[in-house]
Amino acid sequence: MASPRARTPLAEQVDELLADGGPLPIVAAGDPVLRRPAEPFDGQLEPALLTRFVQALRLTMHAAPGVGLAAPQVGVGLRIAVVEDPAPVPEEVREARGRVPLPFRVLVNPSYDAVGTGRAAFYEGCLSVPGWQAVVARHAEVRLRALDERGQAVDEVLSGWPARIVQHETDHLEGTLYLDRAEPRSLSSNDAMAHRWNQPTPERAARALGFELP
Ligand code: ZN
């Protein structure tokens, strides 16, 4: 009997993952899927399944809550990530960190390159490393190249917090966690973040904990 084109193992995996309909379980550091470069997306999920998967990533990101989520964080080794940041922060934080709203978008096969030599160092966290945050010095400005969920090319220059989010999520697709790039001595629990290091910049933390800022 004739059968439709064989489904890929990744399609089977995603189908199973979506069966429950709720937010997806987030994979924590220590799972090898977070350490393997993800496969470039090349139609492994048929369009309807890709749409459902992207919706589930968005739902999971909102539920966490987070401002970005990469497919490996739900155990799927594909180069797909979602980002969205309404940036509900006080004006002084917005100014210090460049944390401006980033509308929802899907990044398929993203990559980035530094624009200029500027660096920006701030605390960040990761849904796959719950309970902790650390300072990461990142490119202040990057050129993002990707496809969107409809296969349209994305090519734009981002700065401030959107640049940080895009670097963090794209790094996930290479098997890199933010801790790989962090100042080890800045590592702080969420409790320490809330009570000690909630200033707009990490300067006070750098002096007290003994790490360098660029
Ligand atoms: Zn992360």
Side-chain angles (χ1 to χ4, degrees):
M1 198 166 102
S3 62
R5 187 168 79 104
R7 301 190 81 199
T8 62
L10 275 161
E12 298 294 346
Q13 183 197 354
V14 169
D15 223 11
E16 235 167 77
L17 206 52
L18 301 183
D20 285 344
L24 307 174
I26 294 178
V27 169
D31 189 316
V33 73
L34 291 172
R35 291 314 201 166
R36 279 193 293 264
E39 270 183 45
F41 178 74
D42 185 24
Q44 293 95 331
L45 314 181
E46 66 267 23
L49 186 57
L50 176 63
T51 299
R52 288 173 57 219
F53 182 49
V54 162
Q55 285 168 349
L57 286 175
R58 189 181 190 188
L59 177 72
T60 306
M61 171 176 69
H62 287 168
V67 295
L69 188 67
Q73 293 184 274
V74 297
V76 175
L78 278 175
R79 295 183 66 90
I80 297 174
V82 295
V83 296
E84 181 174 18
D85 184 14
V89 294
E91 189 55 35
E92 58 166 352
V93 171
R94 185 183 306 274
E95 269 174 33
R97 301 180 190 171
R99 187 157 173 192
V100 294
L102 175 63
F104 175 74
R105 62 201 314 178
V106 181
L107 305 179
V108 175
N109 300 338
S111 63
Y112 65 82
D113 294 297
V115 175
T117 56
R119 308 283 285 174
F122 291 102
Y123 270 100
E124 65 181 71
C126 177
L127 297 175
S128 294
V129 189
W132 299 92
Q133 298 185 45
V135 169
V136 187
R138 293 193 180 274
H139 304 302
E141 197 168 54
V142 293
R143 179 177 179 187
L144 166 70
R145 274 172 278 206
L147 299 175
D148 69 13
E149 67 276 31
R150 287 174 291 277
Q152 301 293 309
V154 173
D155 183 347
E156 74 183 78
V157 172
L158 298 166
S159 59
W161 216 254
R164 177 168 299 268
I165 294 170
V166 157
Q167 289 172 79
H168 180 119
E169 300 310 328
T170 302
D171 285 355
H172 269 301
L173 305 177
E174 301 290 352
T176 297
L177 294 178
Y178 84 99
L179 288 172
D180 302 348
R181 303 188 187 279
E183 290 293 338
R185 293 185 65 111
S186 71
L187 186 67
S188 296
S189 67
N190 282 349
D191 188 62
M193 289 306 300
H195 294 102
R196 295 178 184 276
W197 312 132
N198 55 3
Q199 304 85 32
T201 72
E203 277 156 26
R204 196 184 296 175
R207 283 194 300 274
L209 300 178
F211 61 90
E212 300 287 324
L213 292 172

